């Protein structure tokens, strides 16, 4: 198992490329199952979660060609409808394949994705919607078996929570369903918009109403297309926090500032300067950042839950006290104990975490328990005095391409010891 060694409190300065968004690439890769022609996906990040998605596509019968950040997929010969447990278990979001497989094969067999570090990851909203559309679902021995006896029916589906994954699964299972399927209280994350744009380029008819509902008008087939994945707004936020904690001055290349609308006010409150020119974002700060008073995670366009951990890591160094409220996941504070090991002053009470900023933290050995918690350890290690050693890097490698290379390029004293698993 590899570890990251960081010698902290070195100012970051320079350019960082922002790659394609993991949470856009994964559903788009799954949706290629629906395409009768070849799909060329550009700006696809090189991540372990993407690798697992490609393994699932190949298992199902798709032909894959990888050329750096370009992936060519031909799903014409897909002839399987099941995903074996060993593949399902490798990635929690593999459930996103369910809707696409049902659409294509009229049946599907997958294992429950299982919980993860963020607490139980229920899929009740996914299954309830599929049943409403006419999918027969049997759950036994940790397995979900779906089949469509007659035809899927277009429905008006009202989500009790704007679940990203459930929205994606309903879209993918309704693309070929005659009539109009309407998703009320659909998720509105930029990654959903990117998926819709991809599908419409393949010939789907999907639009969003002014109230934010998603309407899918069934079509008979989808062709292939070329598509460029949107930039990763959470990776961008992570590098912003890394620069701010070292009082650095960096230029992020290839961002979409519109997707960071809930992030900019947080950095502004901290006294961090930002300047956006087209797809470039310059961020700098000379003095110790001030604390952001209140951060509560909400569905988009609110403050993203995926940014909570890295902003908390930065807040641990700020002047003043910050209050975080995690409204999306049940258990997304596993990074707090590790921040406390570095000397941070953080108290958690249920969904709320109180962070009293300190002038400096002291490097030590820390663990990561989930993807964004791992990123939070990197941010905290960059700001701390002395050496920080971060283990369980498999979490980090799921969502950050070349993070140590990018950080080293802008002045971080960081290296990976042991081989990447
Ligand atoms: C997606 O997860 C993202 N993952 C997550 O990013 C992100 O944190 C999350 O959306 C929220 O923005 C991918 O896109 C691959 P949800 P997803 O369904 O779809 C509850 C990262 O770090 N819920 O919107 O699983 C659920 O338990 C990852 O990149 C149900 O109760 O998120 C959670 O509390 C982490 N029943 C809340 O809704 C359901 O059927 C949000 O879940 C589905 C969800």
């Amino acid at each position: 198992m590899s570890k990251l060694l960081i010698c902290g409190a070195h100012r970051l300065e320079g350019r960082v490329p922002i790659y394609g968004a993991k949470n856009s690439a994964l559903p788009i890769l799954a949706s290629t199952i629906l395409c009768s022609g070849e799909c060329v996906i550009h700006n696809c990040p090189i991540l372990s979660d993407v690798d697992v998605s490609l393994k699932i596509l190949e298992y199902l019968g798709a032909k894959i060609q990888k050329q750096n950040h370009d992936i060519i997929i031909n799903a014409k010969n897909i002839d399987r409808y099941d995903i074996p447990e060993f593949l399902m278990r490798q990635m929690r979001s593999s459930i996103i394949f369910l809707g696409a497989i049902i659409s294509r094969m009229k049946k599907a067999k997958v294992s429950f994705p299982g919980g993860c570090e963020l607490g139980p990851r229920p899929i009740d909203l996914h299954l309830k919607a599929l049943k409403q559309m006419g999918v027969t679902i049997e759950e036994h021995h940790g397995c979900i078996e779906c089949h469509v006896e007659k035809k899927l029916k277009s429905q008006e589906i009202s989500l009790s929570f704007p679940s990203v994954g459930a929205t994606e699964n309903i879209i993918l299972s309704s693309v070929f369903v005659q009539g109009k399927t309407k998703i009320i209280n659909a998720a509105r994350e930029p990654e959903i918009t990117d998926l819709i744009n991809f599908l419409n380029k393949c010939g789907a008819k999907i639009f969003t109403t002014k109230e934010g509902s998603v309407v899918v008008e069934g079509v008979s087939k989808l062709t292939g297309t070329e598509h460029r994945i949107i930039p990763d707004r959470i990776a961008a936020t992570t590098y912003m926090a890394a620069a701010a904690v070292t009082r650095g001055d960096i230029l992020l290349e290839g961002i979409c500032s519109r997707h960071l609308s809930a992030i900019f006010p947080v950095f502004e409150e901290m006294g961090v300067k930002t300047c956006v020119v087209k797809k470039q974002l310059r961020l700098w700060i000379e003095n110790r950042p001030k604390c952001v008073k209140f951060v509560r995670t909400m569905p988009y366009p609110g403050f993203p839950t995926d940014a909570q951990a890295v902003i908390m890591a930065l807040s641990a160094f700020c002047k003043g006290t910050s209050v975080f409220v995690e409204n999306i996941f049940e258990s997304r504070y596993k990074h707090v104990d590790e921040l406390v090991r570095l000397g941070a002053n953080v108290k958690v009470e249920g969904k709320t975490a109180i962070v009293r900023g300190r002038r400096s933290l002291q490097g030590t050995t820390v663990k990561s328990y989930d993807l964004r918690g791992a990123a939070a350890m990197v941010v905290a290690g960059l700001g701390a005095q002395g050496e920080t050693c971060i283990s369980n890097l498999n979490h980090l490698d799921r969502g950050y391409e070349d993070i140590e290379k990018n950080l080293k390029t802008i002045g971080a004293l960081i290296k990976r010891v042991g081989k990447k698993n």
Side-chain angles (χ1 to χ4, degrees):
M1 294 282 268
S2 57
K3 295 180 191 299
L4 268 188
L5 297 182
I6 300 174
C7 182
H10 283 79
R11 188 168 181 273
L12 300 185
E13 191 167 355
R15 292 168 175 260
V16 178
I18 298 300
Y19 303 115
K22 166 181 82 80
N23 292 348
S24 180
L26 300 182
I28 285 176
L29 290 172
S31 68
T32 59
I33 290 173
L34 305 175
C35 299
S36 57
E38 188 172 84
C39 293
V40 182
I41 310 295
H42 298 294
N43 199 31
C44 193
I46 300 170
L47 301 168
S48 55
D49 272 8
V50 168
D51 290 343
V52 174
S53 295
L54 296 177
K55 273 189 231 165
I56 291 172
L57 286 169
E58 280 180 324
Y59 173 85
L60 294 171
K63 293 279 171 282
I64 307 286
Q65 294 171 62
K66 282 199 298 189
Q67 290 151 12
N68 200 8
H69 291 110
D70 295 340
I71 312 274
I72 302 170
I73 300 148
N74 194 319
K76 200 165 67 253
N77 299 324
I78 279 187
D79 56 3
R80 279 181 165 151
Y81 63 89
D82 69 304
I83 302 179
E85 179 163 2
F86 80 93
L87 283 175
M88 280 297 287
R89 284 271 181 199
Q90 288 182 40
M91 181 178 72
R92 134 85 204 158
S93 41
S94 38
I95 196 65
I96 187 55
F97 280 85
L98 187 60
I101 296 173
I102 291 172
S103 261
R104 173 78 184 259
M105 306 301 285
K106 304 296 175 263
K107 55 186 175 182
K109 183 178 175 188
V110 298
S111 66
F112 264 97
C116 75
E117 318 76 21
L118 307 182
R121 298 292 290 277
I123 55 170
D124 55 303
L125 300 177
H126 301 238
L127 302 183
K128 183 171 170 236
L130 291 172
K131 284 176 188 163
Q132 193 181 336
M133 294 174 68
V135 179
T136 303
I137 298 177
E138 287 154 34
E139 300 165 40
H140 49 80
H141 311 303
C143 204
I144 306 167
E145 292 205 58
C146 305
H147 67 275
V148 181
E149 265 142 29
K150 299 194 184 77
K151 287 169 75 171
L152 287 173
K153 302 183 297 291
S154 55
Q155 295 285 322
E156 185 164 285
I157 298 167
S158 184
L159 287 175
S160 57
F161 180 87
S163 156
V164 171
T167 302
E168 291 164 346
N169 253 331
I170 299 166
I171 289 172
L172 295 180
S173 48
S174 57
V175 163
F176 298 136
V177 176
Q178 195 177 3
K180 290 187 176 179
T181 299
K182 184 174 186 179
I183 311 169
I184 298 168
N185 195 26
R188 310 164 85 163
E189 272 68 4
E191 293 77 25
I192 300 274
T193 307
D194 203 26
L195 172 64
I196 291 172
N197 292 340
F198 168 80
L199 290 168
N200 283 343
K201 280 160 72 172
C202 295
K205 287 183 183 162
I206 308 171
F207 62 92
T208 306
T209 67
K210 57 182 185 316
E211 311 83 53
S213 297
V214 170
V215 177
V216 182
E217 188 175 343
V219 294
S220 56
K221 70 176 269 193
L222 293 185
T223 62
T225 190
E226 278 204 62
H227 184 77
R228 183 175 180 78
I229 301 286
I230 57 171
D232 194 315
R233 59 197 169 104
I234 307 302
T237 306
T238 305
Y239 287 111
M240 290 167 75
V245 83
T246 63
R247 301 184 196 174
D249 184 339
I250 63 168
L251 188 74
L252 298 185
E253 296 177 312
I255 59 118
C256 174
S257 56
R258 201 173 61 251
H259 298 161
L260 295 164
S261 56
I263 300 294
F264 285 127
V266 167
F267 282 90
E268 202 177 317
E269 191 178 343
M270 290 177 161
V272 179
K273 304 274 187 299
T274 58
C275 171
V276 174
V277 177
K278 295 201 179 100
K279 294 182 178 178
Q280 292 195 328
L281 162 64
R282 184 188 167 207
L283 176 142
W284 71 100
I285 179 168
E286 280 98 18
N287 309 310
R288 183 183 171 199
K290 300 189 298 284
C291 72
V292 54
K293 292 275 180 294
F294 191 60
V295 175
R296 63 174 156 199
T297 64
M298 297 297 280
Y300 193 87
F303 183 88
T305 173
D306 293 347
Q308 177 255 106
V310 295
I311 296 298
M312 183 185 289
L314 171 56
S315 301
F317 294 82
C318 292
K319 270 184 283 198
T321 298
S322 301
V323 177
F324 287 79
V325 182
E326 172 54 58
N327 292 308
I328 306 295
F329 284 102
E330 199 168 280
S331 144
R332 200 165 200 175
Y333 283 140
K334 286 203 167 62
H335 46 280
V336 168
D337 287 349
E338 301 307 302
L339 287 174
V340 170
R341 280 179 56 79
L342 290 161
N345 183 339
V346 189
K347 297 272 181 303
V348 171
E349 186 65 48
K351 297 198 307 181
T352 303
I354 314 279
V355 184
R356 291 179 176 77
R358 308 188 75 160
R359 186 171 290 281
S360 71
L361 303 186
Q362 304 307 317
T364 185
T365 56
V366 290
K367 280 197 179 125
S368 39
Y369 294 95
D370 61 71
L371 165 56
R372 306 305 174 182
M377 292 305 111
V378 173
V379 170
L382 288 166
Q385 301 291 334
E387 184 175 86
T388 297
C389 176
I390 307 169
S391 56
N392 299 1
L393 294 189
N394 55 305
H395 295 300
L396 193 66
D397 296 335
R398 284 186 44 223
Y400 289 90
E401 179 181 345
D402 282 349
I403 188 165
E404 67 259 32
K405 183 179 136 221
N406 290 335
L407 289 170
K408 196 180 291 182
T409 307
I410 57 175
L413 297 186
I414 182 171
K415 70 177 177 181
R416 186 184 286 249
V417 290
K419 69 176 181 49
K420 210 171 191 175
N421 55 339

